[in-house]
């Protein structure tokens, strides 16, 4: 008996080791029969991906990868569709946008003004008393076949007695008559600093609000509209994240934004993070809201807030959600609003002193920062401040970057490079090329922004959208713009030398955005030991015609190895989405980005 035991025990041990080894290497998910663009340095193509514990464990041929399957492996046949790494939007206002998504009628992608006005009328008819119809960014006049803006008469006719607010880029907003009444705006209402409440010949407000050039009037008016309940905001944020997943977005850097107060307005995403219900990775920046008191806020946050990933946020199945640093506006006096309908704003003389105080404090405490900077004239002054801080407290490799940089000069690009800075660009010119050309001319627009020069200098560039209140949150509009040099209105304005090939453009939306915040060691490619964030595309981005890029979505989106969105061939693989609440939400009737 003893001899038998001596023989059996080693055999059992070997069997257990074999089972454990198999468990450790068995994928939880295999996606095969695909055209996998890994976006690695050799632009390798593969056919299949194996995933375990949120990471890619093998990439290769379908035959080789399928040999790894076990009885617990979920198999997805991609049926020849294209797979690319998940899109990382380096600049969006998703935390704020999620709170309001269910209230907003989106004109993003609508092809005719006639259709836009029909949607407006339909939504007004279902909006209950006490609520508003709101169209908040993501569109412009040139996307419509009619090539014009709606008139106030058309807006009033469509909406009647239902208060309505319509925001058009950074330039202006419309209030219908009911909206003026609800906000008590009348002949006696004064113009705020930097804004105009248009009046008719009798001195009565027409309903047009104009940024001259400061968008504060537009955003302050929007902030007065009713908010959703906590339950509705949770639902709204979930649906907005799902909308981003539908478009192939798996990571977003939130850039704060006006009227987005920390920590008060972060409660919804805080809760979803705790519950493990985020479906995008979400590092975010803190944006001070009180002009003149920014240094007080940042000093307070530095003492209270831990920055960077917390104990590898991958634990317990949670996605990354943490404070990345300060920005995008560090001080209100440095806000150079990109409103090409108006002349470039001259920043106040006090800007340098205020900005130096904040940046100096951030650098001393090793806080990364990002800074909104549209115009080269502003960038010159900002760089003067950063260089002065660097003399007193060396940056010494601290992560920092400019956002936007539409008109940055060659000289300032060299200065940015020498200071170790990077640049986050967005497709805002896809919406404002025509306004820019009208003010500054065709020649000035040819390299706006000068993306190729940035890349040639070796500056890290990450791509984003600046959604939701100016440009659309749809990254495929950005990819169309990068690869064609064309606005959504069809104006081909960029010089050929500034237009990117499709692979380079996509890398800016994947590796570029990750590298911007030094997260590229494990994401941005489809590669062994990288995060399992990837998308199966509705159409082959690399072969469709230029205009078809605008229509691409994800048929399947995988984040952290989990299927978070599915459609088409893969419908039903992701958990079903809840209906939008309240019931009258435009999301229930139109969804988000439109194709009509």
């Amino acid at each position: 008996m003893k001899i038998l035991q001596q023989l059996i025990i080693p055999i059992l041990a070997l069997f257990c080791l074999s089972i454990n080894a198999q468990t450790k290497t068995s994928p939880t998910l295999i996606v095969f029969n695909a055209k996998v663009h890994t976006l690695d340095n050799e632009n390798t193509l593969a056919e299949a991906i194996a995933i375990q514990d949120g990471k890619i464990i093998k990439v290769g041929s379908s035959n080789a990868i399928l040999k790894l399957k076990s009885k617990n492996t979920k198999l997805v046949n991609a049926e020849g569709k294209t797979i690319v790494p998940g899109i990382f939007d380096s600049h969006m206002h998703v935390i704020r946008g999620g709170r309001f998504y269910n209230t907003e009628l989106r004109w993003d992608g609508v092809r005719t003004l006639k259709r836009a006005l029909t949607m407006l009328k339909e939504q007004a008819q279902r909006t209950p008393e006490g609520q508003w119809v709101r169209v908040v960014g993501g569109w412009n006049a040139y996307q419509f076949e009619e090539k014009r803006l709606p008139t106030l008469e058309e807006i009033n006719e469509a909406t009647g007695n239902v208060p309505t607010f319509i925001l058009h880029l950074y330039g202006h907003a419309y209030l219908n008559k009911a909206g003026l009444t609800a906000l008590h705006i009348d002949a006696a209402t004064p113009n705020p600093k930097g804004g105009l409440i248009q009046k008719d010949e009798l001195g009565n407000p027409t309903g047009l609000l104009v940024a001259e050039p400061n968008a504060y009037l537009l955003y302050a008016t929007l902030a007065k509209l009713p908010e959703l309940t906590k339950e509705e905001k949770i639902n709204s944020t979930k649906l907005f994240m799902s909308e981003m997943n539908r478009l192939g977005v798996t990571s977003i850097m939130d850039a704060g934004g006006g009227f987005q107060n920390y920590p008060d307005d972060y409660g919804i995403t805080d809760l979803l993070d705790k519950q493990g219900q985020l479906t995008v990775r979400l590092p975010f920046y803190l944006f001070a809201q009180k002009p003149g008191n920014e240094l007080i806020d940042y000093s307070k946050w530095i003492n209270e807030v831990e920055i960077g990933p917390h104990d590898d946020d991958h634990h317990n199945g949670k996605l990354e959600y943490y404070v990345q640093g300060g920005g995008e506006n560090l001080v209100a006096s440095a806000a150079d609003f990109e409103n090409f309908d108006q002349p470039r704003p001259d920043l106040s003389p006090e800007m340098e002193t205020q900005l130096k105080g904040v940046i100096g404090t951030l650098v001393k405490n090793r806080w990364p920062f990002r800074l909104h900077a549209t115009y080269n004239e502003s960038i010159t002054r900002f760089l003067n401040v950063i260089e002065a801080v660097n003399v007193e407290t060396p940056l010494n490799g601290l992560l920092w970057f400019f956002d936007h940089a539409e008109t940055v000069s060659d000289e300032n690009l060299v200065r940015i490079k020498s200071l170790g800075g990077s640049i986050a660009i967005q497709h805002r010119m896809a919406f404002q090329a025509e306004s820019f050309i009208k003010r500054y001319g065709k020649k000035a627009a040819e390299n706006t922004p000068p993306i190729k020069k940035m890349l040639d200098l070796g500056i890290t560039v990450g791509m984003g959208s600046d959604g939701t209140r100016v440009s659309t949150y749809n990254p495929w509009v950005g990819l169309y713009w990068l690869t064609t040099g064309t606005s959504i209105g069809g104006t081909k304005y960029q010089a050929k030398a500034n237009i990117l090939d499709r692979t380079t453009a996509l890398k800016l939306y994947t590796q570029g955005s990750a590298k911007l915040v030094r997260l590229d060691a494990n994401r941005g490619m489809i590669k062994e030991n990288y995060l399992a964030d990837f998308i199966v595309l509705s159409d082959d981005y690399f072969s469709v015609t230029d205009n078809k890029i605008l229509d691409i979505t994800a048929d399947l989106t995988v984040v952290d190895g989990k299927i978070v969105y599915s459609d088409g061939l893969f419908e039903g693989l992701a958990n079903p989405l809840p209906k939008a609440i309240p019931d009258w939400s435009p999301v229930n009737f139109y969804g988000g980005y439109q194709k009509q």
Side-chain angles (χ1 to χ4, degrees):
M1 186 71 177
K2 188 174 181 181
I3 294 173
L4 186 62
Q5 285 179 331
Q6 289 174 340
L7 289 170
I8 290 173
I9 289 171
I11 292 170
L12 285 172
L14 284 171
F15 178 74
C16 290
L17 284 172
S18 175
I19 292 295
N20 287 336
Q22 186 178 0
T23 302
K24 286 181 180 178
T25 59
S26 293
T28 51
L29 174 67
I30 288 176
V31 182
F32 66 100
N33 188 20
K35 189 187 294 182
V36 181
H37 288 259
T38 63
L39 293 193
D40 65 11
N41 294 334
E42 291 75 38
N43 291 322
T44 306
L45 291 176
E47 295 177 334
I49 311 169
I51 297 101
Q52 184 189 57
D53 294 332
K55 289 191 175 181
I56 296 167
I57 60 171
K58 201 75 176 173
V59 182
S61 69
S62 291
N63 287 339
I65 299 300
L66 285 170
K67 289 176 182 177
L68 303 175
K69 70 179 180 180
S70 71
K71 64 179 182 180
N72 296 320
T73 303
K74 185 178 188 65
L75 299 178
V76 176
N77 184 345
E79 300 200 14
K81 284 186 169 288
T82 298
I83 295 180
V84 298
I87 288 171
F88 190 163
D89 189 316
S90 63
H91 184 127
M92 195 193 294
H93 303 278
V94 65
I95 295 174
R96 181 182 67 191
R99 290 165 48 221
F100 295 99
Y101 179 65
N102 281 5
T103 68
E104 294 172 356
L105 175 66
R106 303 302 307 184
W107 280 354
D108 310 46
V110 176
R111 307 288 168 85
T112 69
L113 178 57
K114 180 180 178 182
R115 174 60 184 161
L117 290 169
T118 297
M119 293 167 69
L120 195 67
K121 182 174 183 178
E122 292 171 353
Q123 187 56 38
Q125 290 171 345
R126 65 174 67 96
T127 300
E129 187 174 352
Q131 284 293 343
W132 284 62
V133 175
R134 28 190 141 182
V135 179
V136 186
W139 65 282
N140 77 1
Y142 298 99
Q143 78 188 50
F144 299 139
E145 288 179 6
E146 296 90 341
K147 302 297 181 187
R148 69 173 180 86
L149 292 164
T151 66
L152 279 162
E153 289 74 17
E154 288 170 328
I155 291 168
N156 278 298
E157 182 181 351
T159 57
N161 294 324
V162 182
T164 299
F165 176 94
I166 300 174
L167 177 66
H168 181 253
L169 306 176
Y170 269 133
H172 65 268
Y174 304 97
L175 287 171
N176 69 350
K177 291 177 182 177
L180 289 169
T181 300
L183 294 178
H184 308 292
I185 296 174
D186 56 26
T189 304
N191 292 323
K193 184 179 179 181
L196 169 71
I197 300 171
Q198 187 190 68
K199 307 280 178 67
D200 63 17
E201 61 276 6
L202 299 177
N204 295 314
T206 63
L208 183 67
L209 309 179
V210 183
E212 289 194 333
N214 194 319
Y216 177 81
L217 168 62
L218 314 183
Y219 289 169
T221 303
L222 182 59
K224 294 174 183 177
L225 307 193
E227 294 202 20
L228 296 170
T229 66
K230 180 180 178 181
E231 180 189 10
E232 289 165 346
K233 285 179 185 176
I234 291 170
N235 175 271
S236 179
T237 300
K238 284 182 177 180
L239 290 177
F240 187 46
M241 288 190 298
S242 181
E243 169 74 349
M244 298 316 306
N245 297 150
R246 182 179 76 86
L247 294 168
V249 176
T250 58
S251 297
I252 297 171
M253 265 191 277
D254 189 283
F259 299 91
Q260 178 67 16
N261 293 286
Y262 182 83
D264 299 357
D265 293 328
Y266 290 72
I268 302 303
T269 42
D270 287 350
L271 178 63
L272 293 174
D273 169 58
K274 288 174 185 175
Q275 295 175 345
Q277 294 190 57
L278 295 176
T279 60
V280 292
R281 302 182 190 276
L282 191 55
F284 58 94
Y285 285 76
L286 300 188
F287 183 127
Q289 300 291 323
K290 300 170 187 172
N293 291 326
E294 296 94 346
L295 182 56
I296 295 172
D297 278 340
Y298 282 114
S299 298
K300 177 174 182 286
W301 292 333
I302 284 167
N303 289 324
E304 295 178 354
V305 177
E306 180 184 358
I307 60 168
H310 304 158
D311 187 28
D312 183 12
D313 282 289
H314 187 267
H315 71 290
N316 297 325
K318 290 171 63 179
L319 298 180
E320 294 148 324
Y321 175 76
Y322 54 82
V323 176
Q324 176 72 42
E328 74 184 275
N329 272 20
L330 295 175
V331 293
S333 57
D336 66 341
F337 288 98
E338 156 259 4
N339 175 12
F340 299 136
D341 289 335
Q342 298 288 334
R344 176 183 60 83
D346 289 319
L347 303 181
S348 70
E350 64 188 7
M351 182 276 291
E352 276 84 354
T353 300
Q354 293 180 347
L355 186 62
K356 187 179 179 187
V358 170
I359 291 181
T361 299
L362 293 172
V363 173
K364 285 176 185 176
N365 290 277
R366 309 305 295 168
W367 262 52
F369 64 91
R370 64 192 302 168
L371 184 57
H372 169 109
T374 298
Y375 298 96
N376 187 61
E377 292 83 354
S378 307
I379 291 170
T380 297
R381 292 174 63 181
F382 298 159
L383 285 169
N384 292 342
V385 170
I386 296 170
E387 287 169 345
V389 169
N390 187 47
V391 170
E392 297 174 6
T393 309
L395 291 166
N396 195 24
L398 181 68
L399 190 162
W400 75 273
F401 56 92
F402 282 128
D403 283 291
H404 315 314
E406 272 88 358
T407 67
V408 64
S409 67
D410 293 358
E411 178 187 359
N412 279 337
L413 287 176
V414 172
R415 295 171 75 191
I416 293 167
K417 173 69 175 176
S418 68
L419 287 164
S422 304
I423 300 174
I425 58 173
Q426 300 79 37
H427 55 253
R428 304 193 308 178
M429 281 292 288
F431 288 81
Q432 295 196 271
E434 291 83 1
S435 297
F436 186 94
I437 291 168
K438 186 176 180 181
R439 180 163 298 280
Y440 298 108
K442 288 182 178 180
K443 189 67 178 174
E446 286 183 352
N447 294 288
T448 302
I451 302 167
K452 273 283 186 69
K453 289 180 181 178
M454 296 174 189
L455 296 175
D456 289 345
L457 280 170
I459 294 172
T460 295
V461 177
M463 185 65 191
S465 65
D466 204 9
T468 60
R469 292 183 173 179
V470 181
S471 33
T472 184
Y473 50 74
N474 185 346
W476 300 100
V477 173
L479 286 160
Y480 168 79
W481 170 73
L482 286 171
T483 56
T484 66
T486 304
S487 74
I488 62 169
T491 300
K492 193 174 182 68
Y493 75 94
Q494 287 202 21
K496 186 176 180 180
N498 201 43
I499 296 171
L500 305 183
D501 66 84
R502 294 189 187 188
T503 299
T504 301
L506 186 56
K507 284 184 175 182
L508 294 188
Y509 254 125
T510 51
Q511 298 160 28
S513 294
K515 192 174 182 180
L516 203 62
V517 284
R518 300 173 187 168
L519 293 173
D520 54 312
N522 67 352
R523 67 199 74 193
M525 300 183 200
I526 297 176
K527 186 175 178 179
E528 288 182 23
N529 296 318
Y530 272 48
L531 298 178
D533 297 354
F534 60 88
I535 50 180
V536 182
L537 300 181
S538 60
D539 298 283
D540 182 12
Y541 162 72
F542 297 95
S543 65
V544 295
T545 59
D546 289 342
N547 284 338
K548 287 292 183 182
I549 294 174
L550 292 165
D551 293 332
I552 292 175
T553 58
D555 276 355
L556 189 79
T557 301
V558 175
V559 181
D560 202 44
K562 303 176 184 68
I563 297 172
V564 296
Y565 178 82
S566 62
D567 195 12
L569 293 170
F570 315 107
E571 191 171 4
L573 293 182
N575 291 330
L577 290 174
K579 185 179 178 183
I581 53 174
D583 288 343
W584 54 266
S585 168
V587 175
N588 284 328
F589 302 92
Y590 308 108
Y593 189 88
Q594 305 292 301
K595 287 187 182 180
Q596 51 188 315

